[in-house]
Amino acid sequence: MMKINLLGCHRWQRMVGLLAVLMMSVNGSLAQDPLDQSLARHNFFYAGQSKQRRMFIVKDGQVSWSYKDQLGRGEISDAVLMTDGHILVAHQYGVAEVDADGQTIWHYVAPEGTEIHTAQPIGRTHVVFVQNGKPAKAVVMEIPSKRIVREFELPISEKGSVHGQFRNARLSNRGTYLIANMALGCVHEYTCDGKEVDRWNGFLPWSVQEMSKTGNLLITGRKGLIQEINRQGQTVWQLNTTGLGVTQPQKTVRLSNGHHIVNNWYNEWNKEPMDTANAPVQAVEIDKDGKVVWQLRAWKNPDLGPSTTIQLLNEAVNRDRLFFGEYNAQAPKLFVGPNQPIGIGRGIHPGRVAWIHAPGVVKWDGKTGLWVEDRWNDQAKADRMIPEAVMQMTGETTPQKAWKSLFKHFNKTHGRGNRGYKRGEMIAVKLNMNNAITHHDTIELNSSPCITLALVRSMVRDAGVRQQDIVLCEPSRAITDSIFFKVRREFPQVRMIDNIGGDGREKCEYYPEQIVYSTDNGKMARGLAKCIVDADYLINSALLKTHSGPGVTLTAKNWYGATDINLLWRQNAHNNVSQDKRHGKPGYKTFVDWIAHKDMGQKALFYLIDGTYGSRDVNGAPNPKWMKEPFNGDWACSLIVSQDELACDAVAMDIIIGEWSEFGSLNYCDEYLREAASIPNTPSGTVYKQDGKPLTAPLGLFEHWNNQKERKYTKIDLKYIKIED
């Protein structure tokens, strides 16, 4: 039997521990696991700012393509590999496009006294770059003609050098230009018209990029600090790379698994030559715990040189998808073309939609506090918008006459006689508090407190409705404090019902099995809130927003919140809500059944879309401001109201498409409107029903306007009213 020397074993263990400490990693960081240094870990494009202007493609651990510029002047500060195999390269004294064979397609020389360190493609006909200089400029250039088609000046430090002004800029998903300003220590966001829409201060930015899913900005700083910030300027994640051997990071790549690849530039112009025995890393991969799991050290066989750009091959840029405002502007695919009306208008004036635009009604700066705070919202102006809306809908000259006309028209068309509102009849306002699951106010966009109060005020003061006959409800979410207290202080008898109850709110109850869908709709919610079913009249108060599912979330989507869904949205079915965005294949749409339901769309006195702020994203804070006419860099400051649900959603949809046409989910977002307006001959072949009986007539009027600039309809009766100060 073998004998074990325990003393020797303990000594050996101590020696192994000491050896592990001595092998602890690179440049002072601790190596906790074996470190991958294989070139084969990633397939990537690589370029560097060095004495030699070289670029490489590394695939399967080998250099599969390389390029060396023989001019020998300048340095490669930025390079973009595109899906067509071409590379756009900024090399200090110019910008060029190089094809997969290394041939120069075109080359622009920077004017004397200027430098170009960053460039982006805009489709196949333009590029945009930052030209350092005095003055510094953002430049849009037509290619290959090299004709400058637009330029605007950028702020700089008068004391600094031209060389130290700008290094990196990137186009955002919304067609704006994000520019890292090294000299001023900030990041700018510009439209193609040269309007600065935002600025984030307090950074040392070498590069900036937008995160596609969140819209957050990822900023790589010159002092080794990488920060992800939201658009309110709050840091949501950060990492200091100096302890990981990365002292001069320039660009950061976020991987799908949450890891980050950060390059590390080495200055070949240092007076001291490189210590080849301890050569710096060129890039590292850092996991979610902040630990280095891969290092790139390719200074010999192959020698990749210093790094300023590293880009994974599977993230090559599709130049056709990049746009800068009007340059290579994106447009969604739609089922219905401009001015091709479908259906029959509804309302006192069939198909009439009132668009009330009151610039200045909301003034949140996008960063300070919460947008719901009184300091950001002009209640007096909001109080003017609701009466104006009901007058425009009805054509009456006073809000009192307008409200009376609305009630009389509703009762007459619903078989209740030619009469107005009666005391004791309940009017329920279905709010949209989709981003609220507690009573605490949130920065995320929900129904506006000032518009909600303005609506209640007009109902009581102009329409003569008793407080106790008004119900503000959000059956699937929570009514937040900003709405509750604003209304309760002035109208203590108005009831408020939400999903959770308490704190002065009533807890919502439901009637089961109230919705019979026109086709087998799986596990979709079928119960309805009692406050919705029991109401005599409804007002659908929706929001002006996009949605990653159906493309838009307007009045039709707002009905979902009246059903007996779970407070936690992931636990709910969303069957047949979204369209086929890729192929546009027609299909049954749940929204149509909600529009047709006797206790949902068919019980609405009118529809209101609150676009005082509006947002490009369904979640999060209102963001961004609206750049196109008639908003011109302000919040939308608008209400869209109508007695015709289809026409109401159509106008709001056109406003959204006109502003954010690039939003991917907008493809075929008009399907539910086409279905509802085409009854009984729907493109999908669905026989939509109400109470089991097939519908025989359209549910309203649907039409797209002719274009975003003129905003003209042939059948929809759009009344645009601007309320000035």
Side-chain angles (χ1 to χ4, degrees):
M1 179 180 296
M2 182 180 294
K3 294 183 179 180
I4 299 175
N5 187 326
L6 294 179
L7 179 60
C9 180
H10 290 315
R11 286 175 177 168
W12 172 248
Q13 289 175 337
R14 288 196 298 271
M15 289 176 64
V16 169
L18 180 60
L19 183 60
V21 170
L22 292 175
M23 294 179 66
M24 284 177 180
S25 89
V26 186
N27 295 323
S29 62
L30 298 181
Q32 298 167 336
D33 291 309
L35 195 59
D36 188 350
Q37 299 191 57
S38 168
L39 273 180
R41 183 176 178 92
H42 297 290
N43 295 329
F44 58 91
F45 166 67
Y46 182 101
Q49 179 176 309
S50 63
K51 294 181 178 180
Q52 300 183 73
R53 295 194 341 210
R54 299 184 298 164
M55 300 184 289
F56 304 90
I57 290 177
V58 176
K59 191 173 182 180
D60 300 325
Q62 302 293 324
V63 173
S64 63
W65 179 90
S66 63
Y67 169 89
K68 184 175 181 180
D69 188 345
Q70 300 300 323
L71 293 178
R73 184 168 182 258
E75 55 198 33
I76 295 179
S77 302
D78 193 13
V80 179
L81 173 67
M82 296 175 282
T83 51
D84 59 6
H86 289 202
I87 295 169
L88 185 65
V89 54
H91 56 78
Q92 185 176 3
Y93 296 114
V95 59
E97 183 173 342
V98 177
D99 68 14
D101 296 323
Q103 299 300 308
T104 300
I105 306 300
W106 56 265
H107 179 214
Y108 172 78
V109 178
E112 189 68 28
T114 70
E115 297 182 6
I116 300 172
H117 293 277
T118 185
Q120 286 264 271
I122 312 173
R124 296 179 179 274
T125 58
H126 294 83
V127 296
V128 59
F129 54 85
V130 174
Q131 186 169 284
N132 293 14
K134 294 186 177 181
K137 300 177 181 179
V139 179
V140 179
M141 186 177 74
E142 183 182 73
I143 56 172
S145 69
K146 297 181 286 186
R147 181 172 67 94
I148 304 300
V149 296
R150 182 162 297 175
E151 61 183 25
F152 52 87
E153 292 189 10
L154 301 174
I156 59 173
S157 171
E158 294 300 327
K159 297 180 181 179
S161 68
V162 166
H163 186 70
Q165 291 173 346
F166 303 94
R167 276 300 180 278
N168 180 263
R170 287 293 181 262
L171 290 167
S172 75
N173 292 328
R174 61 198 64 183
T176 55
Y177 203 27
L178 297 166
I179 302 174
N181 190 326
M182 293 196 307
L184 295 183
C186 63
V187 171
H188 309 274
E189 182 174 19
Y190 282 95
T191 67
C192 72
D193 298 319
K195 181 178 179 60
E196 185 181 37
V197 296
D198 220 331
R199 182 186 295 198
W200 297 269
N201 295 304
F203 301 94
L204 294 172
W206 183 279
S207 65
V208 61
Q209 58 188 299
E210 183 184 51
M211 300 288 94
S212 59
K213 291 184 178 180
T214 63
N216 291 347
L217 307 185
L218 190 61
I219 301 170
T220 303
R222 289 184 291 148
K223 297 292 186 180
L225 187 62
I226 302 170
Q227 294 169 281
E228 179 183 351
I229 65 170
N230 61 24
R231 287 187 170 265
Q232 287 72 54
Q234 300 163 326
T235 300
V236 298
W237 174 85
Q238 69 178 33
L239 174 70
N240 194 312
T241 64
T242 54
L244 305 174
V246 179
T247 57
Q248 298 199 66
Q250 298 192 351
K251 291 188 177 73
T252 302
V253 177
R254 176 167 291 175
L255 306 180
S256 59
N257 62 2
H259 291 198
H260 294 83
I261 296 177
V262 185
N263 67 341
N264 183 43
W265 177 62
Y266 169 75
N267 186 356
E268 284 192 342
W269 289 270
N270 283 333
K271 294 181 179 179
E272 297 293 330
M274 179 194 293
D275 180 359
T276 55
N278 295 285
V281 293
Q282 293 149 311
V284 298
E285 179 183 344
I286 305 164
D287 69 13
K288 290 186 287 187
D289 297 322
K291 182 178 65 176
V292 174
V293 295
W294 176 68
Q295 286 183 341
L296 175 64
R297 288 176 180 271
W299 294 101
K300 186 176 182 181
N301 300 324
D303 175 12
L304 300 183
S307 171
T308 50
T309 293
I310 187 165
Q311 179 185 349
L312 299 185
L313 296 190
N314 62 1
E315 293 187 356
V317 171
N318 186 339
R319 65 196 303 168
D320 295 327
R321 294 181 181 177
L322 292 186
F323 68 106
F324 189 24
E326 65 193 68
Y327 298 102
N328 198 41
Q330 306 294 293
K333 299 175 183 177
L334 300 171
F335 279 114
V336 179
N339 294 149
Q340 297 178 12
I342 305 173
I344 300 172
R346 295 190 172 192
I348 298 168
H349 302 280
R352 175 168 291 187
V353 178
W355 175 0
I356 313 302
H357 182 206
V361 67
V362 296
K363 299 179 180 179
W364 186 46
D365 64 2
K367 298 175 182 176
T368 308
L370 303 179
W371 63 270
V372 299
E373 297 172 32
D374 288 344
R375 57 177 165 161
W376 305 120
N377 303 290
D378 187 335
Q379 187 64 55
K381 185 166 281 192
D383 289 342
R384 294 169 60 190
M385 296 177 77
I386 295 294
E388 186 65 48
V390 295
M391 287 191 291
Q392 291 299 324
M393 269 193 293
T394 61
E396 298 290 350
T397 56
T398 69
Q400 292 79 13
K401 290 179 180 179
W403 277 105
K404 185 176 182 179
S405 179
L406 286 169
F407 282 113
K408 288 184 69 174
H409 180 268
F410 181 92
N411 286 320
K412 185 177 181 179
T413 56
H414 285 73
R416 299 178 184 175
N418 188 24
R419 66 169 180 84
Y421 150 81
K422 289 182 178 179
R423 291 166 63 90
E425 290 183 323
M426 185 173 81
I427 305 171
V429 180
K430 167 61 179 73
L431 302 174
N432 187 333
M433 306 298 297
N434 186 60
N435 289 319
I437 60 174
T438 73
H439 293 148
H440 298 297
D441 286 325
T442 172
I443 200 170
E444 295 190 279
L445 184 61
N446 295 297
S447 289
S448 164
C450 69
I451 292 299
T452 304
L453 177 60
L455 178 60
V456 174
R457 280 178 172 175
S458 189
M459 291 168 70
V460 174
R461 298 173 182 176
D462 300 327
V465 177
R466 297 190 310 167
Q467 293 184 41
Q468 55 266 46
D469 291 341
I470 299 173
V471 175
L472 302 180
C473 66
E474 179 50 293
S476 65
R477 295 292 187 269
I479 296 177
T480 52
D481 289 337
S482 55
I483 290 179
F484 177 80
F485 289 114
K486 185 175 284 290
V487 174
R488 180 55 57 90
R489 279 192 295 265
E490 193 168 334
F491 302 103
Q493 292 178 293
V494 170
R495 298 170 61 199
M496 287 185 239
I497 301 174
D498 68 9
N499 184 269
I500 59 179
D503 301 322
R505 291 83 159 169
E506 300 174 44
K507 183 176 174 59
C508 188
E509 296 180 348
Y510 306 87
Y511 291 118
E513 301 301 324
Q514 295 295 298
I515 305 174
V516 179
Y517 291 103
S518 298
T519 189
D520 182 0
N521 206 19
K523 296 181 179 180
M524 201 69 178
R526 288 172 167 76
L528 273 179
K530 289 185 177 181
C531 57
I532 295 291
V533 176
D534 294 345
D536 296 285
Y537 312 91
L538 297 175
I539 296 175
N540 184 325
S541 181
L543 292 171
L544 188 65
K545 294 195 295 184
T546 65
H547 195 289
S548 57
V552 294
T553 174
L554 304 169
T555 69
K557 178 69 166 62
N558 194 34
W559 290 126
Y560 191 28
T563 66
D564 59 348
I565 54 176
N566 195 286
L567 182 68
L568 304 176
W569 70 270
R570 292 185 183 277
Q571 298 183 19
N572 300 305
H574 297 81
N575 302 333
N576 298 300
V577 167
S578 299
Q579 67 279 16
D580 178 4
K581 300 180 184 68
R582 177 170 295 182
H583 305 294
K585 182 179 179 181
Y588 160 75
K589 286 292 158 285
T590 297
F591 288 176
V592 181
D593 273 332
W594 293 341
I595 294 169
H597 197 282
K598 65 181 180 63
D599 287 315
M600 299 170 84
Q602 299 309 297
K603 194 187 281 187
L605 184 67
F606 66 87
Y607 307 88
L608 181 156
I609 298 176
D610 178 357
T612 45
Y613 281 98
S615 187
R616 185 183 181 272
D617 303 305
V618 65
N619 300 315
N623 179 68
K625 291 185 177 180
W626 300 62
M627 294 296 109
K628 306 287 180 59
E629 291 282 352
F631 311 117
N632 300 317
D634 194 4
W635 298 111
C637 297
S638 296
L639 295 182
I640 313 298
V641 294
S642 181
Q643 293 174 278
D644 187 323
E645 185 166 12
L646 304 193
C648 191
D649 276 18
V651 171
M653 182 181 290
D654 284 345
I655 293 172
I656 288 173
I657 291 172
E659 182 70 23
W660 297 308
S661 56
E662 79 285 354
F663 187 67
S665 290
L666 289 175
N667 282 340
Y668 304 112
C669 64
D670 57 354
E671 181 177 19
Y672 75 93
L673 294 176
R674 183 178 71 157
E675 285 279 292
S678 299
I679 293 172
N681 302 308
T682 62
S684 70
T686 303
V687 178
Y688 291 96
K689 303 173 183 178
Q690 186 187 74
D691 291 334
K693 297 180 181 179
L695 296 169
T696 59
L699 295 173
L701 175 64
F702 167 46
E703 182 183 7
H704 286 301
W705 63 29
N706 62 333
N707 57 60
Q708 196 275 336
K709 185 176 181 179
E710 294 180 331
R711 304 188 291 274
K712 291 182 179 179
Y713 295 96
T714 60
K715 288 292 183 66
I716 287 180
D717 182 15
L718 178 62
K719 300 294 183 181
Y720 171 78
I721 303 297
K722 187 173 183 179
I723 297 178
E724 304 285 3
D725 290 332

